[in-house]
Amino acid sequence: MYDVFVVGGGPSGATAALDLVNSGHKVALLDREGRIKPCGGAIPPRLMQDFDIADDQLVAKVNTARMISPTGRHVDIPIENGFVGMVDRKDFDPFLRARAAAAGATLLSGTFVRIEREDAGVFVVYRDRASGEETRVQTRLVIGADGARSKVGRAEVPGGDTIPYVLAYHEIIKAPAKSELYDPVRCDVIYDGDISPDFYGWIFPHGDSASVGMGTEISSVDLKQSTAALRASAGLADCETLRREGAPIPLKPLDRWDNGCDVVLAGDAAGVVAPSSGEGIYYAMVGGRVAATACAATLASGRIKDLRLARSLFMKEHKTVFRVLGSMQNAYYRSDERRERFVSLCHDIDVQRLTFEAYMNKRLVRARPLAHLKIGLKNLAHLSGLVAPTRV
C-alpha cells in the first residue's frame, strides 16, 4: 500500500515524489525509461535555488539571447546579473529520479495501463518493463505526471483529453566551433514563418552538443524538414547528429487538474508550459510540488477537495505571467510581419531588462512608470501598424 503513486518520472513527477517522501509518505514513482523528451533544456537560477539543483547538473551557462527576425535581423540581449542554465534531459531526468529514489521513493519501470477501484481500495495497473506482465499496486492517491498526452488525464480527469498542444521536434548535434553563427554561451531564438508558422525555432548550446529544433501547432508542417532548413540557415547542416526527439508540448493549463476523488495531474499533463516561450522545466517542477502539497493535505485531512490546492496554488503565483505571455503570443506570432515587429521591440533596453528579470525571478518585475509607459506606447504603435515593422 502506497500513500501516493506517481505516474511519470520527468521533472514534475520526480519532484512530487521527492517532496512526498521528504514529508514522510510512502511513494511509488513509475517511469517508462528509455525515452528522452525534446527540450531546449533552459532553466532559470530560481529553479536551481527552489529545487536544490547544483551547478554540476548544467552543461552550459548562457549569458546572451539572440532574437532573429524573418528577414534575418537580430538583436543580442545580454542577461544581466545572472544566466540561463542549460541541462540535457537525457542526464537531468535520471538524476531527478535517482534523487527521489535515494530519499525513499520506490522507483518502478514500466508503462501505466489503468486505475481500478473496488471495495478494497484504489489500484494502479502498469505493465512491468522487464517482464512485460501487468502488475497491480494499491495506493491511496495518484499523481498523473505523464506528459501532454497523459493517459492518466485522458482516463480520469474531465477535459484531460482535450488539451491543445504544439508538436516539438529537435536534433541534438555535435557543437561546432564558436563563430558569428554559433556561440556556446548564446541562445538563438528564430522567429520565421518558414521555420515555424506559429511558434519559433531555437539553437541552444549544451556544451559539447547543441539542441536545434522548432515547434508548431499546425499538423501539416514537416518538423524534420523545417529543422533541416533551420540547420542549413545557421550553418549547422554538416554537424554530426547525435539523436532526434519529438513530443507534444501543451499550450494551456487545464481548467481542472483533479478528478474529485483520488487523482491529480502535474506538469505537462496539467498543461503548465509557459505560452510564447514554451518554457516547461521550471513550471513542471512547480506543478509537481503543488501536486505533492495537495496530496499531503488530502492525506492529512481526509478532504478530497484539498486536491484542488494543486491548481489554485499554481495559478495564484503564475496566472498573471501566463496571461501576459499568452497575449504576447497571440499578438505577435500570427504572421511574419508581426514577428518582425516583435524583434524590433526587443531592441528596447527596458523590454530586455524586464523580460530577463521576469524570467530569472519568475514574477513580473516592477519598473519605473515611465519605462512601462514607453513600452506600452511602442507596443501599441507596432500592433496598430503606425510604425514600420523594422522601427526600433
Side-chain angles (χ1 to χ4, degrees), residues 17-352:
L18 178 64
D19 280 8
L20 284 164
V21 294
N22 283 341
S23 60
H25 296 91
K26 188 175 182 181
V27 180
L29 176 61
L30 175 69
D31 191 70
R32 290 168 53 184
E33 295 189 0
R35 178 186 175 278
I36 306 168
K37 183 181 176 181
C39 178
I43 63 173
R46 182 175 170 183
L47 181 151
M48 301 178 70
Q49 297 164 6
D50 289 356
F51 298 99
D52 194 24
I53 303 300
D55 273 14
D56 60 10
Q57 290 301 314
L58 302 181
V59 292
K61 285 186 175 181
V62 168
N63 60 27
T64 304
R66 171 170 288 186
M67 308 299 186
I68 303 174
S69 80
T71 60
R73 293 186 309 129
H74 71 259
V75 54
D76 287 351
I77 303 177
I79 302 169
E80 300 177 349
N81 305 315
F83 60 89
V84 176
M86 306 301 298
V87 298
D88 193 321
R89 295 290 293 272
K90 76 175 177 62
D91 302 314
F92 187 61
D93 290 17
F95 158 76
L96 295 175
R97 290 193 290 272
R99 184 168 71 169
T106 300
L107 188 58
L108 304 172
S109 180
T111 55
F112 170 82
V113 178
R114 63 185 175 273
I115 294 173
E116 296 179 348
R117 298 175 180 87
E118 55 190 53
D119 291 343
V122 180
F123 298 83
V124 174
V125 179
Y126 71 95
R127 190 172 302 281
D128 183 77
R129 184 178 183 185
S131 68
E133 300 292 328
E134 287 192 359
T135 303
R136 202 167 83 134
V137 176
Q138 189 171 7
T139 186
R140 298 173 66 187
L141 298 173
V142 178
I143 293 177
D146 51 335
R149 290 174 174 164
S150 167
K151 291 181 69 176
V152 177
R154 292 202 304 270
E156 298 290 337
V157 176
D161 58 345
T162 61
I163 186 169
Y165 55 83
V166 161
L167 291 172
Y169 172 81
H170 79 159
E171 297 176 356
I172 298 294
I173 64 171
K174 187 173 181 180
K178 180 179 179 180
S179 66
E180 170 58 26
L181 291 176
Y182 179 81
D183 190 323
V185 293
R186 187 187 73 215
C187 285
D188 291 359
V189 184
I190 301 91
Y191 299 99
D192 185 346
D194 289 338
I195 300 300
S196 172
D198 59 337
F199 208 55
Y200 64 82
W202 69 81
I203 302 170
F204 287 179
H206 285 186
D208 293 337
S209 63
S211 165
V212 184
M214 50 78 65
T216 180
E217 193 179 356
I218 301 173
S219 59
S220 61
V221 174
D222 188 319
L223 305 183
K224 292 183 179 180
Q225 184 177 335
S226 294
T227 301
L230 173 55
R231 288 181 61 170
S233 67
L236 303 174
D238 295 331
C239 295
E240 179 185 355
T241 302
L242 304 178
R243 65 180 197 265
R244 298 176 174 88
E245 296 147 4
I249 297 176
L251 289 174
K252 180 183 177 182
L254 290 174
D255 293 332
R256 182 170 176 176
W257 293 7
D258 70 276
N259 67 347
C261 181
D262 46 30
V263 173
V264 64
L265 303 179
D268 280 11
V272 291
V273 171
S276 178
S277 69
E279 182 191 357
I281 300 178
Y282 172 77
Y283 295 110
M285 295 179 78
V286 172
R289 174 152 290 170
V290 295
T293 300
C295 286
T298 301
L299 292 169
S301 69
R303 296 189 301 263
I304 297 302
K305 67 178 184 179
D306 285 346
L307 289 177
R308 301 176 197 166
L309 283 170
R311 190 180 192 280
S312 64
L313 289 172
F314 184 94
M315 299 306 287
K316 181 179 180 180
E317 183 169 3
H318 301 292
K319 177 175 66 177
T320 301
V321 170
F322 271 51
R323 186 173 64 245
V324 169
L325 291 176
S327 297
M328 187 179 77
Q329 180 174 334
N330 291 334
Y332 285 108
Y333 285 19
R334 61 177 60 181
S335 69
D336 272 356
E337 182 195 14
R338 289 291 183 92
R339 295 184 186 94
E340 200 75 45
R341 293 179 182 279
F342 177 67
V343 173
S344 295
L345 277 176
C346 289
H347 282 268
D348 188 282
I349 189 66
D350 290 309
V351 170
Q352 295 177 14

